[in-house]
Amino acid sequence: MANSLAIIADPKTGKTYKKEIPAERMGSLVGRKIGDEIDGVFFDLVGYKLVVTGGSSIDGFPMRSDLQTQGKKQILVSYKKGYRGKNGIRKRITVRGSIIGSDISQINLKIVQYGPTPLEEKKDDQQA
């Protein structure tokens, strides 16, 4: 497992923050689903609660919340391209399931509960 990336969205400010996830901590996130609540300790954010909102695999395929599996699947979706798409056209696309596996390179998270220190201060501490 290589290092993964966590993209943490802050709904109050509208900003996002990047955090590296070491391979040791990524192993404890395997098996979680989109919509699960995760403690912020995994990302060095004590007191924070985060919700998984999505992600993508090392191949670049996005996670899909309605697909309850861990690997990649090809599904048939209705497809509208442009302003006036033709009705009835469907397209087969490849997506990942909603369960986090070892081949996830990016995890998207949203803050649900805030900790004692703001994220702005934590970001300044890491740069120093």
Side-chain angles (χ1 to χ4, degrees), residues 12-27:
K12 281 186 181 175
T13 62
K15 294 183 180 181
T16 58
Y17 304 95
K18 284 190 207 177
K19 286 272 201 183
E20 282 283 328
I21 307 171
E24 310 87 48
R25 291 188 186 170
M26 188 62 188

Side-chain angles (χ1 to χ4, degrees), residues 3-58:
N3 285 354
S4 296
L5 194 64
I7 308 297
I8 302 169
D10 187 359
K12 281 186 181 175
T13 62
K15 294 183 180 181
T16 58
Y17 304 95
K18 284 190 207 177
K19 286 272 201 183
E20 282 283 328
I21 307 171
E24 310 87 48
R25 291 188 186 170
M26 188 62 188
S28 60
L29 294 174
V30 171
R32 305 284 178 108
K33 295 181 180 181
I34 292 178
D36 285 355
E37 191 170 299
I38 296 176
D39 194 20
V41 175
F42 287 114
F43 312 104
D44 300 327
L45 300 172
V46 179
Y48 282 82
K49 297 282 184 187
L50 309 165
V51 171
V52 178
T53 58
S56 62
S57 68
I58 56 176

Side-chain angles (χ1 to χ4, degrees), residues 91-127:
K91 185 176 182 179
R92 188 165 301 279
I93 61 170
T94 305
V95 293
R96 283 213 16 84
S98 65
I99 301 172
I100 296 174
S102 60
D103 58 342
I104 293 289
S105 65
Q106 174 184 327
I107 300 174
N108 301 332
L109 302 156
K110 180 175 76 171
I111 299 173
V112 177
Q113 178 183 347
Y114 290 86
T117 58
L119 280 175
E120 291 290 332
E121 291 178 13
K122 290 187 179 291
K123 187 176 178 184
D124 294 339
D125 293 341
Q126 289 177 356
Q127 290 177 354

